[in-house]
């Protein structure tokens, strides 16, 4: 049993003032794998005070020195990558091979992209040739509360910490209590890299406790949160009294629009993308909209692909999917699968219950529904499990209408060989991201959504700007 009972505050590992034990569950076995301490208001206040005290010095540190420390963090990350992968596999159920490549790999990818973007970023720049004595200064927002989820832990931690550190913000990280071990390893890495005391602080806690204390804290200038739309709404309301900046990366119900001229691998690619990370991705292509001439064949292909997706324990090597994170999520997914059956969608793969041969662990059968419509619960709610909903359409206009008929707007996908159609779809789809024909977004591309999928952008230049204030200065005195 792993024990992680201390917090990282003001450059030191300290015991919480009023600790509350929390058992982290291994979702592959349903057994406790670690004990951590959850903090309270005194711990939150101590972390925020440390960040506030460190802010003037960190803001005044030249950007080149802040970038150099993040470069040092990248070096250390490479030496701890296996530790991070093992932790995430244990605590949130990512199969170990996937944890090594995608889960741990995402963090170093984002840090390197921030370094590249920062080296080209002008933190001070002239307003324009028409105003030679005016300058624009980009300076840190201030103390940033970073609240991260369990589904892509290092992905989200590095997207926030990397940008905040380079921007000159000091920070308090509250990782998900469901997956805290990787975050505590990350705190060790920040310490080893030599970030000044108080620049980075970590307090474990739950959303109702430390999360609410941070989002409403008078000395926190910004909250950057990734998680559910429900929690994002609560954070926004709690933060409103202090008018702090709130950055939200929330849920999604992405449409994968497959036209009749799509390449032959489009349906298979879409199913496997949906099943990746056991469906626990906010940008998952969970609604597959298929043009009617190829709809029947697409159903057959999707069922075949889903039935070949293997499910197994996270510690085993191989290209399988693991369990979902906990019992609450497992039960929610089972209920939604049953709702799909009750609503009359045609179950062509998977279904309720655990996969054959797995009697313990939060395993879900890779599931595909066909003949759904966009008013069904399975087409409207974010299931956050390996469940795909297939909906037929006839025309491009109908496809756009169905795709946009959702409260979410994170990522949509388009499969077509018609360049003009692809360009029309890119403009018509109401989402922060659109991906075409299996090509993912490139390094430095911003991640974020519209509508109830949140606000703000993470990654690259846009991620840096989210942690920066814009200050206009007139009558500049040349130095």
């Amino acid at each position: 049993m792993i024990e992680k009972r201390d917090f990282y505050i003001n450059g030191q590992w300290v015991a919480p003032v009023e600790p509350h034990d929390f058992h982290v569950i291994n979702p592959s076995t349903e057994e406790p794998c670690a004990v951590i301490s959850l903090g309270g208001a005194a711990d939150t206040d101590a972390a925020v005070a440390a960040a506030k005290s460190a802010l003037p010095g960190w803001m005044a540190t030249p950007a080149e020195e802040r970038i150099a420390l993040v470069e040092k963090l990248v070096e250390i990350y490479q030496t701890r990558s296996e530790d991070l992968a093992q932790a995430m596999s244990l605590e949130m159920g990512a199969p170990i091979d996937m944890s090594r490549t995608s889960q741990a790999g995402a963090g170093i990818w984002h840090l390197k992209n921030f370094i590249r973007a920062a080296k080209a970023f002008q933190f001070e720049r002239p307003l324009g040739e028409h105003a030679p004595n005016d300058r624009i200064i980009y300076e840190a927002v201030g103390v940033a509360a970073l609240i991260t989820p369990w589904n892509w832990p290092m992905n989200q931690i590095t997207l926030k910490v990397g940008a905040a550190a380079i921007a000159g913000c000091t920070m308090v990280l509250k990782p998900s209590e469901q997956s805290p071990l990787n975050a505590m390893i990350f705190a060790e890495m920040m310490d080893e890299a030599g970030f000044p005391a108080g620049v980075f602080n970590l307090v474990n806690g739950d959303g109702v406790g430390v999360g609410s204390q941070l989002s409403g804290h008078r000395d926190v200038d910004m909250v950057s949160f990734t998680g559910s739309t429900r929690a994002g709404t609560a954070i926004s309301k709690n933060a409103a009294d202090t008018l702090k900046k709130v950055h939200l990366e929330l849920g999604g119900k992405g449409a994968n629009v497959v036209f009749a001229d799509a390449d032959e691998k489009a349906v298979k690619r879409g199913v496997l993308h949906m099943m990746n990370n056991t469906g626990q991705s906010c940008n998952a292509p969970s609604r597959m909209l298929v043009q009617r001439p190829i709809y029947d064949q697409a159903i057959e292909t999707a069922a075949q692909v889903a039935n070949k997706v293997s499910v197994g324990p996270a510690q085993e090597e191989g290209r399988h999917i693991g369990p979902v994170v906990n019992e609450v999520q497992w039960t929610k997914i089972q209920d939604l699968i049953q709702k799909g059956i009750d609503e009359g969608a045609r179950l062509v793969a998977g279904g309720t219950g655990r996969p054959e041969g797995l009697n313990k662990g939060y395993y879900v059968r890779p599931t595909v529904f066909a003949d759904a419509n966009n008013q069904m619960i399975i087409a409207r709610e974010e299931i956050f499990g390996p469940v795909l909903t297939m909906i037929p359409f006839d025309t491009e206009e109908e496809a756009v209408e169905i795709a946009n008929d959702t409260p979410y707007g994170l990522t949509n996908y388009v499969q077509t060989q018609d360049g003009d159609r692809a360009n029309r779809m890119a403009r018509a789809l109401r989402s922060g991201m659109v991906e075409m024909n299996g090509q993912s977004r490139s390094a430095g591309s911003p991640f974020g959504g519209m509508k109830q999928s949140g606000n703000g952008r993470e990654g690259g230049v846009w991620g840096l700007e989210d942690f920066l204030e814009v200050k206009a200065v007139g009558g500049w005195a040349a130095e």
Side-chain angles (χ1 to χ4, degrees):
M1 180 80 68
I2 299 169
E3 293 193 6
K4 295 278 189 178
R5 299 178 183 271
D6 290 345
F7 300 158
Y8 186 74
I9 299 175
N10 204 28
Q12 301 179 58
W13 290 97
V14 297
V17 176
E18 295 181 357
H20 172 66
D21 281 354
F22 179 84
H23 286 79
V24 181
I25 304 299
N26 177 348
S28 293
T29 65
E30 302 183 36
E31 299 295 332
C33 63
V35 180
I36 64 167
S37 292
L38 302 185
D43 305 298
T44 304
D45 287 344
V48 172
K52 183 179 179 181
S53 178
L55 181 62
W58 186 240
M59 284 180 65
T61 301
E64 294 77 12
E65 294 182 24
R66 300 197 299 259
I67 295 168
L69 277 172
V70 176
E71 288 179 315
K72 179 64 174 176
L73 176 63
V74 168
E75 294 177 10
I76 295 166
Y77 194 114
Q78 291 171 327
T79 70
R80 300 296 302 273
S81 182
E82 179 65 15
D83 294 338
L84 291 168
Q86 292 288 346
M88 289 183 282
S89 184
L90 176 70
E91 62 194 341
M92 55 76 58
I96 187 59
D97 285 354
M98 183 262 192
S99 193
R100 287 170 177 145
T101 56
S102 299
Q103 291 281 3
I108 202 162
W109 165 263
H110 292 310
L111 292 175
K112 287 180 176 179
N113 287 335
F114 279 133
I115 291 166
R116 183 188 304 110
K119 287 183 175 180
F121 192 87
Q122 289 181 282
F123 289 87
E124 294 184 6
R125 63 187 72 172
L127 174 62
E129 293 181 0
H130 70 289
N133 294 325
D134 282 47
R135 293 292 185 272
I136 301 298
I137 299 175
Y138 288 84
E139 69 178 32
V141 170
V143 175
L146 314 178
I147 304 175
T148 56
W150 47 261
N151 61 320
W152 286 95
M154 270 300 109
N155 182 75
Q156 294 306 135
I157 287 174
T158 54
L159 275 171
K160 299 182 191 303
V161 172
I166 290 172
C169 293
T170 55
M171 62 205 91
V172 179
L173 171 65
K174 189 210 83 66
S176 170
E177 69 276 20
Q178 305 293 331
S179 60
L181 303 179
N182 68 92
M184 300 185 85
I185 294 170
F186 186 82
E188 295 172 0
M189 293 157 51
M190 293 289 287
D191 184 73
E192 185 178 347
F195 283 85
V199 169
F200 172 86
N201 306 274
L202 180 146
V203 176
N204 281 312
D206 57 21
V208 174
V210 174
S212 294
Q213 293 153 17
L214 285 170
S215 59
H217 203 290
R218 65 184 182 277
D219 290 330
V220 168
D221 302 296
M222 173 182 178
V223 178
S224 180
F225 169 76
T226 300
S228 70
T229 297
R230 176 195 53 78
T233 301
I235 284 172
S236 297
K237 291 177 179 178
N238 195 34
D241 287 342
T242 50
L243 291 177
K244 56 173 56 70
K245 185 175 184 179
V246 179
H247 169 118
L248 301 172
E249 299 290 352
L250 307 176
K253 193 67 179 176
N256 184 8
V257 185
V258 183
F259 287 95
D261 67 341
D263 67 271
E264 61 181 10
K265 295 181 180 179
V267 172
K268 178 181 179 179
R269 186 169 62 236
V271 175
L272 294 177
H273 191 171
M274 180 62 239
M275 303 301 165
N276 185 46
N277 204 39
T278 319
Q280 299 171 120
S281 300
C282 51
N283 62 340
S286 52
R287 291 181 296 155
M288 183 179 284
L289 280 50
V290 184
Q291 200 161 26
R292 210 170 293 274
I294 61 167
Y295 179 66
D296 290 341
Q297 180 58 54
I299 294 170
E300 185 178 333
T301 300
Q304 290 173 350
V305 173
N307 285 328
K308 290 180 180 177
V309 173
S310 59
V311 183
Q315 70 271 17
E316 292 184 1
E317 296 186 350
R319 297 183 63 183
H320 57 284
I321 65 173
V324 296
V325 70
N326 58 30
E327 184 178 8
V328 171
Q329 290 295 119
W330 188 87
T331 301
K332 172 193 169 186
I333 294 164
Q334 298 303 311
D335 289 347
L336 285 167
I337 292 173
Q338 186 59 53
K339 279 187 172 68
I341 295 169
D342 295 343
E343 287 181 313
R346 179 157 59 103
L347 185 68
V348 297
T352 57
R354 290 176 174 83
E356 187 177 349
L358 294 169
N359 298 318
K360 194 172 186 181
Y362 304 122
Y363 300 102
V364 176
R365 299 171 67 190
T367 297
V368 177
F369 283 105
D371 302 346
N373 64 65
N374 207 48
Q375 304 314 309
M376 291 180 176
I377 291 173
I378 56 170
R380 303 206 70 80
E381 290 194 18
E382 185 180 37
I383 299 174
F384 229 59
V387 182
L388 175 67
T389 301
M390 301 182 71
I391 302 171
F393 72 90
D394 291 301
T395 66
E396 181 179 324
E397 292 74 19
E398 184 186 6
V400 170
E401 181 180 356
I402 295 171
N404 288 341
D405 180 21
T406 172
Y408 299 107
L410 190 58
T411 312
N412 285 307
Y413 303 82
V414 178
Q415 319 298 327
T416 181
Q417 301 303 301
D418 184 329
D420 290 338
R421 176 190 285 146
N423 288 331
R424 291 193 301 270
M425 293 293 292
R427 290 178 173 85
L429 293 170
R430 292 285 295 163
S431 55
M433 298 168 284
V434 180
E435 298 186 8
M436 304 280 183
N437 298 319
Q439 296 297 309
S440 59
R441 295 164 299 106
S442 299
S445 178
F447 186 101
M450 302 176 181
K451 302 190 284 186
Q452 290 186 27
S453 288
N455 54 54
R457 294 295 182 269
E458 291 187 316
V461 172
W462 294 270
L464 293 177
E465 289 180 343
D466 249 25
F467 286 89
L468 292 166
E469 297 279 18
V470 178
K471 179 185 287 184
V473 181
W476 182 266
E479 295 179 353

